């Protein structure tokens, strides 16, 4: 573990002497997998020497487990951050306090905190020092959450950007007040600070330059202009000069008009004239990623108007586009393979592609005028200019590259976009990326770059005129081509795959259908050659028994293989349904889930009765469904042991999910919800039933299906579900609960668009059927079936519904389940019928209908009938 075990042993001995603690076993565990354990141990010792109570601080760090381990990781990952803690040992209280660490900074929060710090400053220099401390304080929180992966990457970039915005706003005011002491200037600063580049896009790096421009209000006299020029020089020094705590930000002013040759301060009128008359295409592209950070209302308003006017024109000229492409190619030609930003398939390719598409489509579609790259990609997907699979690939690749760039920067606070050259540094980076080894990181990086490069070139029509098989496939697939290329380009021997697509019309048709009807599955296909081969051969359309295949897995099979089998089975089931929806996808997904859970319980020899609830119980799982379960045990003496066993099973299922398995477990429907015991005894459930079980809990238990254990467990649950008569008062309680769910979980504008919880959705249908069963449990033989179609037929056999109503509900149930699954596979917002015409058209086509209006007419007819039957059914049950 340690490169120099002898030096590490001496360091441990010094720590034990300093703190009075025995540390051998703790160090062995805490430093395992550290990116640089020798550096971490040295920094830990330096930090403890800087604290007032080394023993107390180390004891606290040890007691915090994972959070303490994260601090040790940080000591080995980033010398600048370690130096911050050593310089400010009191900041350790922030990173060792879970509630403090979870705080997500906003610009407003940081500005407020900064003003409090500044109110106690004693001089101009002290004020700037306070701002540098503020940066250290929040950088620490951001880095900790980044390295622990508590925040998604987009949240990390936004937090860093909000921090920069706040510090620029605070520094602008501090410097202005200082300059005013020496010059006769107005109280309010007339200079507006404009951010370009990463800061402009709310995507700041740890070691970003801040690209700025300074705008002066129009109509000021020459003296004020000269003084404001001096102010801008002082403001730049305040940001970039190094003090005891380092600098705030390196400032780059080269994106101002005329670049380094132009004055650093210009009036707003001068900026407008420059962009009207002289700006080159690349400068307009840079303007796209610009925004006012702090300044006067008038200047900020005019800047936004200028950005809209010049960046989003009715038509972008071919000459301007060629100019931008030539500049991009020149930058790429001079870039090293280790350059994450400029090399082919790098960060700049994603940003350039996104910005060009924004400029082309922004005039007609205001939704794409956003600043952050990820938001822009999703907005372009929303208007149909980027396919869902391609948007996912671009987003995934961009986040990966930016995360890798951050790991390179956090190590030494260097403004670098390069992969380190030294083998040891590359291995350290792989560990920081949680990819084990450099070889694994290198493979992942290569895949992401090839994907981005393929999408970049195909989307911008930069492919060569060669008529090889790949080009022919691209031509045959039309707008679906880019998403298919980023899939097949990643496969080994891709030329053979492209040749196979051209030789076999059925293969190309199936690939086209997946790209068109189920683009969300492409990411799984591109990770699995066998799965892609199953699709091309047609084997994927054959009947399968995935639960049996999972059941046959050896109980000592590596977890990665178990997860792979489950993921393959789930993807294959979804693909088969997308190609030919002649089977119940919910039942197939339920069987896969059940098979994986049974494997987990048997693998750990856990003796627990397991019941499926919710959509898992009814056989209506969608590809995004969790598995709701309830766990019971017969004997009171085995309950504590069973609690431990179930915790182990849940940990195993969670590990499988991290390895790619689609199965996630939800136990919130158990007695007492999230606060209750994981496992209840039969008597414990009966006691809960007698003392405090609410009607909505009984309702949920009515969907129970035994998947493991004794049938007595199911009888106990059914007793709780149906033992109390559904009186008008109890019916009223349940209906109130349903209304609360609708109001809290469905936006008012979505009540007719949410296919699960909205009016006339699956919940209305389910509640109508189940409330009737609860009202007439004997006549309906309640609990004997969980399949919804069988239960609807059961209401017909009990003469509680007539034949037409039964047929209507069964057809509505089929339609709603189909729509829900198709929405997911298309990558649309979960459970919502889209409003966007392009997305609605894609949904209609997936359902076999000519256009969006045809789908809407059919869907609205279905939900209207279901809603009316639900409301009429409630009135009958009240009688």
């Amino acid at each position: 573990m340690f490169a120099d075990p002898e030096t590490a042993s001496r360091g441990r001995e010094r720590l034990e002497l300093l703190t009075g603690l025995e540390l051998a076993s703790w160090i062995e565990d805490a430093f395992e997998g550290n990116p640089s354990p020798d550096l971490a141990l040295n920094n830990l010792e330096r930090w403890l020497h800087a604290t007032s109570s080394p023993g107390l601080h180390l004891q606290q760090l040890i007691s915090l487990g994972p959070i303490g381990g994260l601090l040790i990781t940080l000591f080995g990952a980033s010398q600048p951050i370690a130096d911050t803690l050593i310089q400010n040992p009191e900041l350790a209280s922030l990173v060792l306090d879970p509630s403090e660490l979870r705080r997500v900074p906003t610009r407003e929060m940081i500005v407020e905190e900064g003003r409090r710090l500044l109110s106690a400053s004693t001089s101009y220099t002290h004020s700037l020092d306070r701002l540098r401390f503020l940066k250290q304080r929040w950088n620490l929180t951001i880095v900790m959450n980044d390295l622990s992966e508590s925040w998604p990457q987009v949240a990390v970039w936004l937090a860093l950007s909000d921090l920069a915005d706040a510090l620029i706003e605070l520094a602008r005011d501090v410097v202005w007040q200082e300059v005013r002491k020496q010059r006769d200037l107005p109280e309010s600063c007339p200079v507006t600070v404009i951010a370009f580049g990463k800061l402009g896009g709310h995507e700041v790096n740890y070691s970003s330059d801040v690209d700025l421009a300074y705008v002066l209000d129009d109509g000021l006299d020459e003296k004020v202009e000269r003084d404001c020029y001096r102010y801008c020089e002082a403001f730049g020094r305040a940001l970039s000069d190094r003090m005891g705590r380092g600098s705030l930000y390196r400032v780059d002013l080269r994106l101002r008009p005329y670049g380094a040759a132009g004055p650093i301060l210009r009036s707003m009128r001068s900026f407008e004239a420059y962009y009207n008359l002289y700006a080159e295409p690349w400068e307009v592209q840079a303007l796209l990623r610009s925004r006012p950070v702090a300044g006067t209302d008038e200047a900020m308003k005019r800047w936004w108007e200028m950005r809209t006017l010049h960046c989003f024109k009715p038509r972008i000229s071919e000459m301007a586009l060629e100019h931008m492409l030539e500049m991009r190619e020149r930058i790429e030609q001079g870039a090293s393979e280790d350059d994450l930003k400029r090399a082919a398939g790098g960060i700049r390719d994603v940003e350039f592609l996104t910005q060009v598409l924004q400029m082309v489509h922004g005039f007609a579609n205001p939704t794409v005028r956003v600043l952050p790259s990820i938001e822009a990609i999703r907005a372009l997907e929303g208007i149909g200019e980027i396919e869902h699979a391609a948007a996912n690939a671009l987003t995934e690749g961009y986040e990966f590259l930016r995360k890798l760039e951050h790991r390179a920067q956090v190590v030494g606070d260097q403004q670098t976009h390069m992969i380190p050259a030294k083998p040891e540094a590359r291995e350290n980076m792989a560990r920081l990326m949680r990819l084990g080894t450099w070889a694994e990181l290198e493979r992942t990086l290569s895949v992401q770059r090839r994907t981005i490069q393929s999408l970049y070139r195909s989307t911008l029509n930069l492919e060569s005129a060669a008529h090889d098989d790949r080009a022919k496939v691209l031509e045959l697939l039309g707008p679906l081509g880019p998403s298919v290329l980023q899939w097949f380009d990643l496969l080994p021997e891709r030329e053979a795959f492209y040749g196979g697509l051209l030789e076999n019309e059925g293969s190309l048709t199936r690939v086209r259908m997946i790209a068109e009807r189920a683009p969300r599955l492409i990411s799984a296909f591109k990770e699995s050659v066998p799965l892609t081969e199953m699709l091309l051969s047609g084997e994927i359309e054959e009947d399968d028994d995935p639960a049996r295949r999972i059941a046959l897995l050896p109980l000592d099979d590596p977890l990665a293989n178990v997860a792979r089998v489950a993921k393959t089975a789930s993807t294959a089931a979804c693909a088969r349904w997308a190609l030919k929806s002649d089977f119940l996808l919910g039942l197939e997904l339920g069987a896969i889930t059940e098979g994986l859970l049974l494997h987990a319980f048997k693998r750990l020899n856990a003796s627990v009765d397991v019941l499926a609830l919710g959509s898992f119980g009814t056989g209506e799982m969608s590809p995004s469904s969790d598995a709701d379960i309830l766990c019971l045990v017969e004997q009171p003496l085995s309950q504590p042991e069973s609690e431990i066993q179930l915790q182990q099973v849940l940990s195993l299922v969670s590990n499988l999910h991290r390895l790619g398995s689609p199965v996630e477990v939800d136990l919130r429907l158990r007695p007492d919800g999230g606060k209750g015991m994981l496992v209840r005894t039969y008597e414990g459930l009966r006691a809960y039933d007698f003392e405090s079980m609410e009607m909505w809990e009984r309702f949920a238990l009515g969907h129970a299906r035994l998947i493991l254990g004794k049938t007595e467990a199911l009888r106990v649950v059914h007793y709780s579900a149906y033992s109390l008569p559904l009186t008008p008062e109890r019916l009223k309680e349940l209906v109130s609960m349903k209304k609360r769910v609708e109001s809290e979980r469905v936006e008012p504008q979505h009540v007719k668009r949410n296919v699960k919880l909205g009016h006339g959705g699956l919940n209305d249908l389910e509640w109508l059927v189940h409330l009737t069963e609860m009202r007439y449990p004997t006549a309906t033989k309640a609990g004997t079936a969980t399949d919804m179609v069988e239960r609807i037929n059961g209401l017909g056999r009990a003469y509680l519904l007539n034949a037409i109503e039964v047929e209507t509900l069964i057809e509505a149930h089929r339609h709603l389940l189909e729509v829900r699954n198709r929405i997911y596979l298309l990558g649309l917002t979960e459970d919502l019928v889209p409003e966007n015409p392009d997305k609605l058209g894609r949904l209609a086509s997936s359902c076999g209908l000519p256009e969006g209006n045809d789908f809407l007419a059919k869907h609205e007819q279905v939900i209207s009938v279901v809603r009316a039957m639900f409301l009429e059914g409630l009135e009958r049950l009240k009688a």
Side-chain angles (χ1 to χ4, degrees):
M1 178 170 57
F2 289 100
D4 187 346
E6 186 175 337
T7 300
S9 179
R10 290 198 298 270
R12 174 181 60 79
E13 291 171 0
R14 289 194 300 273
L15 284 179
E16 290 178 337
L17 186 63
L18 178 67
T19 63
L21 300 171
E22 168 59 47
L23 300 174
S25 61
W26 174 74
I27 284 179
E28 185 176 343
D29 293 336
F31 286 73
E32 183 67 36
N34 193 285
S36 182
D38 299 84
L39 179 65
L41 185 61
N42 181 56
N43 280 327
L44 173 63
E45 184 178 356
R46 292 177 61 212
W47 171 65
L48 288 172
H49 274 292
T51 65
S52 57
S53 304
L56 184 64
H57 278 82
L58 185 56
Q59 185 64 58
Q60 182 188 9
L61 186 149
I62 293 171
S63 68
L64 285 171
I67 293 179
L70 181 58
L71 187 60
I72 299 300
T73 298
L74 192 148
F75 278 142
S78 174
Q79 189 59 55
I81 297 296
D83 289 341
T84 293
L85 276 168
I86 294 161
Q87 186 179 35
N88 309 282
E90 71 277 9
L91 287 180
S93 63
L94 299 176
V95 297
L96 296 178
D97 180 349
S99 62
E100 186 65 32
L101 196 58
R102 281 195 294 267
R103 289 176 65 203
V104 179
T106 63
R107 173 173 175 165
E108 294 74 19
M109 179 196 302
I110 299 168
V111 167
E112 183 180 347
E113 185 177 341
R115 297 206 190 285
R116 286 198 303 271
L117 289 172
L118 292 172
S119 67
S121 65
T122 57
S123 67
Y124 176 61
T125 302
H126 189 212
S127 293
L128 296 182
D129 179 72
R130 293 294 78 199
L131 295 184
R132 284 162 173 75
F133 170 79
L134 191 61
K135 182 183 181 184
Q136 288 180 324
R137 178 259 180 274
W138 280 109
N139 251 354
L140 189 58
T141 295
I142 295 168
V143 170
M144 290 284 284
N145 281 285
D146 185 10
L147 291 181
S148 67
E149 300 190 354
S150 301
W151 296 350
Q153 283 299 298
V154 173
V156 174
W157 311 338
L158 181 58
L160 288 168
S161 301
D162 275 357
L163 177 58
D165 282 0
L167 291 170
I168 287 171
E169 178 182 341
L170 292 165
R172 174 179 176 270
D173 295 344
V174 167
V175 177
W176 182 253
Q177 294 309 316
E178 180 65 16
V179 171
R180 283 188 67 231
K181 293 177 183 178
Q182 297 137 21
R183 303 172 186 275
D184 182 21
L185 289 169
E187 182 176 347
S188 178
C189 178
V191 175
T192 296
V193 181
I194 306 296
F196 286 83
K198 285 284 192 291
L199 180 56
H202 298 287
E203 295 171 340
V204 170
N205 290 330
Y206 286 121
S207 298
S208 285
D209 283 351
V210 287
D211 295 296
L212 302 179
Y214 305 133
V215 179
L216 184 66
D217 287 350
D218 292 332
L220 300 179
D221 61 46
E222 290 185 13
K223 176 187 176 303
V224 174
E225 286 190 17
R226 286 195 303 274
D227 289 341
C228 286
Y229 193 95
R230 302 289 178 266
Y231 159 76
C232 289
E233 292 177 327
F235 175 70
R237 290 194 299 272
L239 292 180
S240 58
D241 283 357
R242 296 187 68 84
M243 298 173 65
R245 300 180 188 277
S247 65
L248 285 173
Y249 297 99
R250 293 177 293 270
V251 177
D252 191 336
L253 301 173
R254 288 175 296 176
L255 290 179
R256 67 187 187 271
Y258 301 109
I264 64 171
L265 178 66
R266 305 176 73 95
S267 68
M268 188 66 222
R269 188 180 299 118
S270 174
F271 269 96
E272 290 167 338
Y274 180 83
Y275 280 104
N276 278 330
L277 300 172
Y278 305 113
E280 296 187 35
W282 71 265
E283 292 178 289
V284 176
Q285 186 180 1
L287 180 64
L288 176 67
R289 292 248 288 178
S290 71
R291 63 184 175 88
V293 172
T296 64
D297 291 342
E298 175 65 17
M300 289 195 282
K301 176 176 177 291
R302 287 168 64 183
W303 189 273
W304 286 118
E305 291 172 348
M306 183 175 70
R307 174 182 180 267
T308 300
L309 176 66
H310 292 287
C311 296
F312 308 111
K313 296 182 177 181
R315 182 178 177 276
I316 181 172
S317 71
E318 290 187 15
M319 184 181 298
L321 182 57
E322 287 175 6
H323 177 92
M324 290 187 289
L325 288 168
E326 286 172 4
M327 174 168 279
R328 171 69 194 119
E329 288 181 10
R330 283 200 304 272
I331 292 171
E332 183 178 307
Q333 288 169 2
S336 158
E337 273 297 306
D338 290 336
D339 192 326
L340 296 168
K341 184 175 181 179
R342 300 178 182 87
I347 292 167
R348 276 284 170 84
D349 275 359
V350 180
E351 293 174 346
F352 185 91
L353 170 62
T354 304
Q355 290 159 20
V356 168
L357 292 177
Q358 284 181 280
M359 295 175 74
V360 169
H361 302 288
F363 179 81
N365 301 279
T367 57
V368 308
R369 299 176 188 174
V370 293
L371 288 160
S373 300
I374 299 294
E375 286 186 28
I377 291 169
R378 292 306 179 190
L380 288 161
E381 179 195 357
I383 64 169
E385 291 303 325
I386 300 181
E387 287 292 320
H388 173 72
N392 274 358
L394 287 171
T395 299
E396 178 186 317
Y398 189 67
E399 290 183 352
F400 175 83
L401 291 172
R402 291 290 311 280
K403 179 179 178 180
L404 188 56
E405 179 186 43
H406 270 200
R407 296 299 181 267
Q409 292 178 350
V410 79
V411 171
D413 193 26
Q414 298 293 315
Q415 187 193 8
T416 181
H417 315 289
M418 304 294 291
I419 299 168
K422 295 181 179 178
E424 181 182 348
R426 291 187 169 194
E427 294 296 339
N428 289 348
M429 184 170 287
R431 286 193 287 271
L432 281 173
M433 291 289 289
R434 300 192 176 187
L435 284 173
T437 65
W438 164 249
E440 188 176 352
L441 173 56
E442 188 177 33
R443 283 195 299 272
T444 305
L445 175 61
S446 175
V447 166
Q448 297 292 358
R449 278 176 157 171
R450 287 171 59 191
T451 298
I452 290 170
Q453 188 176 20
S454 174
L455 287 169
Y456 172 81
R457 298 192 66 80
S458 59
T459 304
L460 294 178
N461 296 318
L462 302 178
E463 299 296 337
S464 65
H467 293 288
D468 58 10
D469 290 344
R470 182 179 184 275
K472 292 175 183 176
V473 168
L474 177 65
E475 184 178 354
L476 287 170
L477 291 174
L480 298 173
S483 61
V484 172
L485 291 190
Q486 65 91 14
W487 168 5
F488 281 85
D489 278 351
L490 300 181
L491 301 177
E493 301 180 5
R494 60 179 184 170
E495 293 82 5
F497 278 105
Y498 283 122
L501 286 176
L502 293 175
E503 292 172 6
N504 190 318
E505 186 177 345
S507 298
L508 187 63
T509 299
R510 284 187 289 275
V511 167
R512 184 197 302 275
M513 290 173 71
I514 293 297
E516 190 172 43
R517 298 180 181 179
R520 193 185 283 264
L521 300 180
I522 287 181
S523 60
F525 274 106
K526 72 182 183 183
E527 293 171 3
S528 172
V529 173
L531 199 56
T532 298
E533 289 174 338
M534 285 173 62
L535 178 69
L536 298 188
S537 67
E539 181 186 347
I540 206 163
E541 293 187 85
E542 297 173 6
D543 290 342
D544 194 13
D545 188 356
R548 183 172 180 274
R549 276 193 286 114
I550 296 172
L552 291 175
L553 290 173
L555 295 181
D556 60 351
D557 208 26
L559 291 184
N561 187 57
V562 177
R564 181 189 59 78
V565 170
K567 183 176 182 178
T568 299
S570 177
T571 304
C574 290
R576 182 158 67 97
W577 187 85
L579 295 170
K580 189 178 181 182
S581 55
D582 59 349
F583 68 100
L584 296 175
L585 179 59
L587 285 176
E588 190 93 336
L589 296 175
I592 293 166
T593 301
E594 184 172 335
L596 190 77
L597 290 179
L598 291 178
H599 176 88
F601 277 94
K602 290 178 181 177
R603 189 179 185 116
L604 295 173
N605 196 27
S607 301
V608 179
D609 301 324
V610 184
L611 298 104
L613 302 177
S615 62
F616 185 26
T618 60
E620 298 176 1
M621 295 188 80
S622 78
S624 63
S625 295
D626 291 342
D628 292 297
I629 63 172
L630 173 68
C631 295
L632 300 175
V633 66
E634 184 174 11
Q635 296 298 327
L637 292 178
S638 64
Q639 193 273 332
E641 181 183 350
S642 298
E643 189 89 1
I644 294 171
Q645 288 182 340
L646 184 57
Q647 288 174 344
Q648 294 172 339
V649 169
L650 294 177
S651 178
L652 175 61
V653 173
S654 179
N655 287 335
L656 288 169
H657 184 66
R658 281 194 290 272
L659 292 168
S661 158
V663 176
E664 290 188 272
V665 170
D666 190 339
L667 285 99
R668 287 176 295 177
L669 292 178
R670 68 186 186 271
D672 292 318
K675 300 177 182 178
M677 293 181 291
L678 297 177
V679 181
R680 288 280 181 138
T681 64
Y682 297 175
E683 286 304 316
L685 183 61
R686 291 188 183 106
Y688 182 77
D689 173 356
F690 180 75
E691 295 168 1
S692 54
M693 185 176 289
E694 298 184 34
M695 283 304 298
W696 71 265
E697 293 177 284
R698 299 179 189 280
F699 183 94
L701 293 179
H703 301 313
R705 176 173 61 85
L706 185 69
I707 64 172
L708 177 65
K710 305 178 183 67
T711 55
E712 177 63 21
L714 186 59
R715 283 194 288 270
V716 172
V717 169
H718 279 166
Y719 180 84
S720 295
Y722 299 108
S723 60
L724 287 184
L726 186 62
T727 62
E729 293 76 17
R730 291 174 182 141
L731 176 63
K732 183 178 180 181
E733 179 186 337
L734 281 172
V735 172
S736 296
M737 177 67 182
K738 185 176 188 300
K739 287 180 178 178
R740 188 159 68 249
V741 169
E742 288 178 3
S743 63
E744 291 176 357
R745 295 175 58 186
V746 181
E747 298 291 335
Q749 66 271 27
H750 295 162
V751 291
K752 290 190 175 182
R753 293 176 53 213
N754 192 307
V755 296
K756 181 181 179 183
L757 301 176
H759 290 180
L762 285 164
N763 260 30
D764 273 2
L765 192 153
E766 173 194 315
W767 278 68
L768 170 62
V769 172
H770 193 35
L771 287 175
T772 307
E773 291 173 335
M774 293 176 75
R775 179 69 176 82
Y776 305 103
T778 303
T780 59
K781 298 181 181 178
T784 57
T786 55
D787 176 77
M788 191 56 65
V789 172
E790 176 58 28
R791 290 161 69 179
I792 293 170
N793 280 319
L795 298 188
R797 288 192 294 270
Y799 302 105
L800 296 167
L801 293 177
N802 63 42
I804 294 176
E805 289 173 326
V806 167
E807 184 178 343
T808 300
L809 279 185
I810 290 174
E811 177 55 29
H813 179 255
R814 185 207 61 76
H815 168 82
L816 292 168
L817 284 180
E818 178 185 8
V819 171
R820 190 182 187 208
N821 289 332
R822 293 199 183 280
I823 286 172
Y824 175 86
L825 293 174
L826 285 168
L828 305 176
T829 303
E830 190 171 343
D831 293 338
L832 289 183
V833 172
E835 291 181 308
N836 176 279
D838 177 72
K839 293 180 179 179
L840 186 61
R842 289 165 57 200
L843 177 58
S845 176
S846 179
C847 292
L849 295 168
E851 57 183 39
N853 287 335
D854 297 307
F855 171 84
L856 284 180
K858 177 180 179 179
H859 184 69
E860 288 178 3
Q861 180 184 18
V862 169
I863 63 175
S864 296
V865 169
V866 170
R867 186 65 177 179
M869 291 182 67
F870 169 70
L871 295 176
E872 291 169 7
L874 287 184
E875 293 303 315
R876 288 198 302 267
L877 293 174
K878 290 175 184 177

